[in-house]
Amino acid sequence: MSSPRISIVEVGPRDGLQNESVPVDTDAKVAYIEALADAGLTRIEAVSFVHPRLVPQMADAEQVMARVPRREGLSYIGLIVNGRGLDRALAAGVDEVNVTIVATEAFCRRNQGMTVAGALDSFAEIAARAHAAGLRVTATVGAAFGCPFEGEVAPAHVAELVRRCADTGADEIALADTIGVGVPADVRRLTGAVREVTDLPLRFHFHNTRNTGYANALAAVEAGATALDASSGGIGGCPFAPAATGNIATEDLSYALRRSDVTTGVDLDRLLSAASYIGERLGAPLPALLGRAGDFPPVPGARTLD
């Protein structure tokens, strides 16, 4: 019997960098993305098309997309929140778009400047236009596990948002724990609620804010997830959410999945090199742990900490 396979969506170049205060130039971003592709990652969320005043680190999205390596089987995702973002994404030549709909009114207004109903209407328009251009569309429900402004979010409410997105053109549903409050029991409850309204592929986006991100990722795999977001080095966060610390690290997640007999197609050595590269550009220790402890069983000649 073959091992189950999960797709890791690398979000370091987008969600990883967007919350970092140290500017990273276009040359370094392109080199970083190329290193991630060389590590075997085939879906890379490379940029977001938002106003540069709001997210300055993504101001060069078009320049990055003009220079990234193009290979068969390698898909670049652009995050968008409105129609203007889609215009830019189409012109830049992304392969997929990830459209965010935040689950609560307070956070949706802060994140996108619109109501939840407005975000759902916008999603329907974006999905139709993106499909007409031949792009795959992911609907990400942000703050699906909890909101920093409104607190608990009911699974039934998230399921209703998912149903609306599934009915209006989503090809994939992503459930995001934007502020890292969920635990495995929440993953199971939310997956059950969503599975009552759609059988679309499920992707999860976890932050490790309260040290539950990896447990949640493994629970999501057991619940039938087809894809997991992760950021090499564990960098990132949401600039619109208080205390939203880094994403789960791609290398730490890949290690956990491999040891759990789940296939990812990721080359850990090359992934560690990619994480080290961006860590040097940021000039700070990375939250990820695998690069400090080393792989196991130990690879002959590999350097580990004393």
Side-chain angles (χ1 to χ4, degrees):
M1 182 176 178
S2 61
S3 300
R5 185 178 183 89
I6 198 88
S7 172
I8 295 181
V9 180
E10 173 60 55
V11 300
R14 195 279 302 175
D15 200 21
L17 292 181
Q18 73 172 9
N19 208 41
E20 298 292 334
S21 59
V22 176
V24 177
D25 63 35
T26 304
D27 289 345
K29 289 176 183 175
V30 172
Y32 177 35
I33 291 168
E34 185 166 11
L36 292 167
D38 288 344
L41 291 152
T42 58
R43 295 181 72 192
I44 300 175
E45 197 162 280
V47 292
S48 66
F49 296 95
V50 295
H51 198 292
R53 176 178 57 81
L54 300 175
V55 187
Q57 193 78 265
M58 296 289 106
D60 60 346
E62 282 83 358
Q63 290 83 357
V64 170
M65 286 304 304
R67 295 174 51 191
V68 292
R70 301 284 183 167
R71 305 171 187 171
E72 185 176 355
L74 177 57
S75 184
Y76 290 113
I77 305 168
L79 180 93
I80 61 175
V81 296
N82 54 36
R84 171 57 183 149
L86 178 62
D87 292 338
R88 294 175 60 196
L90 293 174
V94 300
D95 303 295
E96 309 178 39
V97 290
N98 182 10
V99 188
T100 301
I101 304 97
V102 182
T104 63
E105 293 293 342
F107 200 173
C108 195
R109 290 179 184 276
R110 287 174 183 251
N111 192 67
Q112 292 166 253
M114 62 179 75
T115 64
V116 174
L120 287 168
D121 290 342
S122 177
F123 173 79
E125 296 173 4
I126 288 169
R129 290 180 55 206
H131 283 149
L135 272 60
R136 185 183 187 190
V137 179
T138 297
T140 290
V141 180
F145 292 79
C147 172
F149 310 110
E150 297 186 22
E152 299 284 357
V153 177
H157 171 67
V158 175
E160 176 57 20
L161 300 181
V162 168
R163 184 193 66 77
R164 291 277 302 275
C165 292
D167 289 347
T168 53
D171 299 303
E172 175 185 63
I173 299 295
L175 302 174
D177 189 4
T178 310
I179 57 171
V181 294
V183 299
D186 296 319
V187 175
R188 291 187 285 269
R189 278 191 291 268
L190 192 54
T191 301
V194 167
R195 277 291 170 239
E196 291 182 4
V197 300
T198 184
D199 59 0
L200 285 174
L202 277 185
R203 169 177 156 191
F204 287 83
H205 180 99
F206 295 115
H207 286 238
N208 202 39
T209 313
R210 291 166 177 81
N211 211 31
T212 58
Y214 300 99
N216 291 342
L218 293 174
V221 172
E222 292 175 357
T226 56
L228 295 170
D229 288 3
S231 171
S232 48
I235 59 175
C238 177
F240 305 105
T245 53
N247 301 268
I248 56 173
T250 314
E251 56 267 45
D252 295 0
L253 174 64
S254 299
Y255 172 83
L257 291 173
R258 190 196 69 202
R259 296 280 293 179
S260 302
D261 293 323
V262 178
T263 301
T264 65
V266 173
D267 183 318
L268 267 177
D269 286 341
R270 291 190 173 190
L271 179 56
L272 287 170
S273 294
S276 176
Y277 174 83
I278 199 62
E280 290 171 1
R281 298 307 175 280
L282 294 172
L286 296 172
L289 297 177
L290 191 72
R292 306 181 202 181
D295 201 357
F296 184 85
V299 177
R303 178 181 177 272
T304 57
L305 297 177
D306 295 332

